[in-house]
Amino acid sequence: RYVHIINNSEAGIYCFYSHPTIEHSLIKNNIGYTAGGLLLEWSDPIVSYVEISKNTDTSTGAGGIRAQYSDAQLNFVTITDNESEGDNNYGGIYGSSSNITMSNSIVWNNSDIAVYMDQGSLNATYSDIEGGWTGTGNIDADPLFVDTSNGDYHLQSTSPCIDAGDPSSPLDPDSTVTDMGAYYYHHETTEYSGSQITTSTQGVTVGTVEITDAGTITDLNVAVNLANSSVSNALYYISLTLQSP
């Protein structure tokens, strides 16, 4: 947990008959003969909140992750800008006789082939996979990283990966629906107290409150005063509609 594995001359992490948990870590700029970033053989790791980037495979493995006879769980992982110099060009993920589960993750801009599974499966959901992948909530869209040339793989405010993760996952620290990838985008919130909308016994007055601050509404508090001295046992219907421009 919380480790940086960078600039190694073999795979960043090699798992052999092991079951590690890898969290909140960086695997970057490693060069390996069969895998650049993460090499799995007969292993079942849990990988969460990990960036795997700019790794290189010099043979017929994969730049990002190569799994052989392994069942890996990938959650909130960003696999990007990895490459394979072999003939097959498996830049992102190469699985052989392996079953990989992936959610809330991004596989983007890896050399040529994003994912290749040989006698195995990738069960991906709520992930952004270049070229597309069948699964609930998956998308195929530029994640709009902040600055790929300088290795900043946080999300821009307009990224399609924001709030696009599995809605059943725990909320992000900013109390919004989880994002895809290793780094969540923090929504800035602004406290706002708008105009009052009033009603009377003779009819309804409709009011509009305009919010001009950029950002996302995460909490909306509505105060309704039903005090009326002349009407008793009345049935009140109250509705609130939020409209975006």
Side-chain angles (χ1 to χ4, degrees), residues 106 128 139 141-147 154-164 179-180 184-188 214-216:
I106 300 172
D128 186 7
I139 63 174
D142 188 337
L144 298 178
F145 295 125
V146 170
D147 187 357
H154 288 77
L155 304 175
Q156 298 183 46
S157 62
T158 54
S159 170
C161 297
I162 295 174
D163 299 339
D179 303 334
M180 298 174 177
Y184 88 98
Y185 175 83
H186 186 79
H187 292 280
E188 296 296 334
T216 299

Side-chain angles (χ1 to χ4, degrees), residues 47-215:
V47 183
S48 303
Y49 300 100
V50 173
E51 175 191 322
I52 302 174
S53 65
K54 296 184 181 297
N55 300 286
T56 302
D57 158 58
T58 60
S59 181
T60 56
I65 298 175
R66 180 179 180 180
Q68 183 174 356
Y69 299 103
S70 298
D71 298 334
Q73 297 180 42
L74 311 178
N75 193 26
F76 298 104
V77 177
T78 296
I79 303 171
T80 186
D81 282 345
N82 302 285
E83 65 174 328
S84 175
E85 296 177 348
D87 294 336
N88 294 324
N89 291 323
Y90 301 139
I93 299 172
Y94 172 34
S96 176
S97 300
S98 299
N99 297 300
I100 299 173
T101 301
M102 181 168 66
S103 62
N104 303 315
S105 296
I106 300 172
V107 184
W108 197 264
N109 199 40
N110 301 283
S111 67
D112 291 1
I113 299 176
V115 179
Y116 182 79
M117 301 301 298
D118 179 18
Q119 298 183 20
S121 65
L122 171 66
N123 180 16
T125 57
Y126 295 98
S127 294
D128 186 7
I129 303 175
E130 187 170 15
W133 197 268
T134 301
T136 302
N138 291 337
I139 63 174
D140 176 14
D142 188 337
L144 298 178
F145 295 125
V146 170
D147 187 357
T148 57
S149 60
N150 289 305
D152 186 348
Y153 298 109
H154 288 77
L155 304 175
Q156 298 183 46
S157 62
T158 54
S159 170
C161 297
I162 295 174
D163 299 339
D166 187 345
S168 67
S169 296
L171 297 177
D172 280 339
D174 60 2
S175 299
T176 61
V177 175
T178 192
D179 303 334
M180 298 174 177
Y183 310 110
Y184 88 98
Y185 175 83
H186 186 79
H187 292 280
E188 296 296 334
T189 59
T190 302
E191 293 293 332
Y192 179 84
S193 178
S195 303
Q196 294 182 350
I197 300 176
T198 62
T199 66
S200 71
T201 58
Q202 301 301 318
V204 178
T205 301
V206 178
T208 301
V209 177
E210 181 179 358
I211 299 177
T212 57
D213 300 284

Side-chain angles (χ1 to χ4, degrees), residues 11-16 34-35 37-41 43 64-68:
I13 296 179
Y14 176 34
C15 299
F16 184 69
T34 53
L38 182 58
L39 175 58
L40 309 174
E41 294 183 331
S43 297
I65 298 175
R66 180 179 180 180
Q68 183 174 356

Side-chain angles (χ1 to χ4, degrees), residues 7-11 30-33:
N7 300 327
N8 292 287
S9 58
E10 288 297 335
N30 302 287
I31 299 176
Y33 180 70

